[in-house]
């Protein structure tokens, strides 16, 4: 496995691979890898000849008061995990080369970026779209793999790819959980043992909501959502949002919705945790 840090070298490598007729899959990450990230590498491996994992803590998606400086990092271990999992390249650019002084161009998606995470992080998806568009232009992939863990992000990137005609296919991989149900996240490392145990209220109440929805349909959505909120507050969490939306449009679900996304963001200790579940409606 090769580690590349320069943008021009990465582009040159990808161009050469494409000239040889190879298909490239990219897995964008911010590092501090766990099994959730590694499952994306498996999907990339299945889809393409060359797998590039990008490892870049994107400063433009953090607001000034957020955890950019303390975001967990372990580059050597990440590279070891990528190699073991069969990645070909780790692309780890320097922030100074990715975002030059005086930069003045952003990529903004304006439908799916409304609501959910944007309620508390209004410039977050602008940072995500901009860095992902740049990573696509640098790694020149045929496929890009994202996790359902960040359901809103996956919809936004899909829309960006469609609207800006990026010549690639988006693959969305399932959300991977700890054996106890907590959605895997690099930020789980902020949790003490006690906070981790209490944060299980998130996944537990989402599973409970899934059962309620399967039994009663979308008629009692309000009750389903308030049960989730109550459970999280009772466990000592602070709820950013709990919402039930049409999983394709992120609009209020109607009786015609094929599936409902129940998405939640809640803070336990120093960790803001995301989780979601998609419930098919018969
Ligand atoms: P991050 O490093 O947190 O920015 O995540 C990089 C990619 O990994 C994103 O596409 C995430 O959706 C995905 N990812 C993170 N955690 C999980 C998980 N538990 N299961 C599946 N994918 C995940």
């Amino acid at each position: 496995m090769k580690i590349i840090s320069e943008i021009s070298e990465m582009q040159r490598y990808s161009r050469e691979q494409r000239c040889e007729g190879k298909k490239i899959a990219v897995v964008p990450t911010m590092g501090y890898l766990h099994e959730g990230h590694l499952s994306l590498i498996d999907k990339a491996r299945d889809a393409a000849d060359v797998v590039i994992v990008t490892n870049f803590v994107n400063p433009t998606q953090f607001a000034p008061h957020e955890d950019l400086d303390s975001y967990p990092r372990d580059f050597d271990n990440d590279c070891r995990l990528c190699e073991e999992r069969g990645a070909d390249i780790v692309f780890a650019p320097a922030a100074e080369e990715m975002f030059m002084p005086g930069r003045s161009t952003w990529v903004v998606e304006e439908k799916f970026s409304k609501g959910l995470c944007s309620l508390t992080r209004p410039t977050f998806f602008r940072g995500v779209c901009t860095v992902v568009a740049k990573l696509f232009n640098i790694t020149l992939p045929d496929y890009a793999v994202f996790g359902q863990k960040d359901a809103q992000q996956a919809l936004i990137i899909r829309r960006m790819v469609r609207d800006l005609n990026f010549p690639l296919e988006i693959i969305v991989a399932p959300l991977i959980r700890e054996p106890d149900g907590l959605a895997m996240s690099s930020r789980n490392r902020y949790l003490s043992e006690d906070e981790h145990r209490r944060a299980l209220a998130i996944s537990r109440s989402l599973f409970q909501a899934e059962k309620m929805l399967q039994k009663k349909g979308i008629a009692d959505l309000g009750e389903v959502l308030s049960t989730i909120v109550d459970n999280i507050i009772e466990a000592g969490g602070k709820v950013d949002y709990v919402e039930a939306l049409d999983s394709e449009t992120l609009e209020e679900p109607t009786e015609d919705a094929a599936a409902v996304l129940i998405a939640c963001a809640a803070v336990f200790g120093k960790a803001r945790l995301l989780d979601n579940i998609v419930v098919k409606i018969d």
Side-chain angles (χ1 to χ4, degrees):
M1 192 189 73
K2 206 165 134 102
I3 298 169
I4 297 179
S5 59
E6 271 179 30
I7 292 174
S8 57
E9 188 187 348
M10 187 66 253
Q11 279 172 325
R12 194 165 51 245
Y13 174 90
S14 287
R15 264 199 220 103
E16 282 165 12
Q17 299 301 313
R18 291 179 76 99
C19 282
E20 288 175 22
K22 304 239 177 83
K23 296 282 184 201
I24 299 174
V26 68
V27 180
T29 82
M30 298 210 300
Y32 209 70
L33 303 183
H34 50 67
E35 189 54 36
H37 297 112
L38 301 178
S39 73
L40 308 188
I41 299 181
D42 295 343
K43 296 279 179 210
R45 220 16 328 145
D46 290 346
D49 306 301
V50 178
V51 174
I52 302 171
V53 179
T54 72
N55 189 319
F56 180 63
V57 182
N58 170 29
T60 65
Q61 70 190 59
F62 289 79
H65 64 280
E66 291 178 348
D67 59 344
L68 172 63
D69 293 336
S70 59
Y71 193 82
R73 292 165 169 88
D74 189 345
F75 185 64
D76 291 344
N77 192 49
D78 287 349
C79 289
R80 190 181 56 76
L81 292 171
C82 285
E83 182 155 31
E84 276 175 17
R85 207 63 169 229
D88 298 291
I89 302 288
V90 168
F91 174 58
E96 301 73 44
E97 202 193 358
M98 281 296 271
F99 293 107
M100 299 209 174
R103 73 196 138 81
S104 52
T105 305
W106 295 99
V107 180
V108 179
E109 190 285 330
E110 294 190 333
K111 174 179 165 53
F112 296 111
S113 304
K114 302 246 158 70
L116 299 179
C117 283
S118 296
L119 296 172
T120 49
R121 308 184 80 189
T123 57
F124 173 69
F125 287 117
R126 180 183 76 162
V128 170
C129 285
T130 302
V131 83
V132 169
K134 285 167 70 70
L135 290 170
F136 288 169
N137 284 332
I138 295 166
T139 59
L140 310 176
D142 299 281
Y143 304 95
V145 190
F146 292 86
Q148 174 64 20
K149 158 86 181 346
D150 299 279
Q152 186 181 16
Q153 171 174 281
L155 285 164
I156 290 169
I157 300 293
R158 240 191 228 292
R159 178 54 62 92
M160 177 188 86
V161 162
R162 190 199 77 170
D163 287 352
L164 299 185
N165 305 98
F166 280 100
L168 58 93
E169 189 183 314
I170 297 294
I171 298 171
V172 179
L175 191 162
I176 305 294
R177 300 179 178 281
E178 301 283 356
D180 60 16
L182 188 70
M184 286 193 180
S185 163
S186 304
R187 289 192 169 96
N188 288 354
R189 76 153 288 165
Y190 297 149
L191 298 169
S192 67
E193 236 172 74
D194 179 54
E195 287 162 350
H196 181 128
R197 199 177 36 75
R198 288 190 286 112
L200 294 178
I202 302 174
S203 52
R204 258 204 312 266
S205 48
L206 285 178
F207 295 140
Q208 194 185 340
E210 180 180 32
K211 286 211 188 91
M212 286 167 77
L213 231 69
Q214 280 165 342
K215 212 157 91 194
K216 299 204 213 158
I218 64 166
D220 290 323
L221 268 185
E223 186 194 333
V224 171
L225 296 181
S226 55
T227 307
I228 301 173
V229 172
D230 291 348
N231 287 344
I232 294 172
I233 292 174
E234 215 165 280
K238 181 183 152 295
V239 175
D240 259 11
Y241 63 77
V242 176
E243 289 198 46
L245 301 166
D246 184 312
S247 66
E248 295 292 312
T249 62
L250 292 192
E251 286 165 9
E252 192 126 320
T254 62
E255 295 293 341
D256 301 334
V260 171
L261 169 78
I262 308 180
C264 167
V267 180
F268 280 82
K270 286 207 282 288
R272 180 174 176 276
L273 305 173
L274 297 188
D275 201 344
N276 70 77
I277 201 158
V278 176
V279 187
K280 293 219 165 66
I281 305 291
D282 297 325

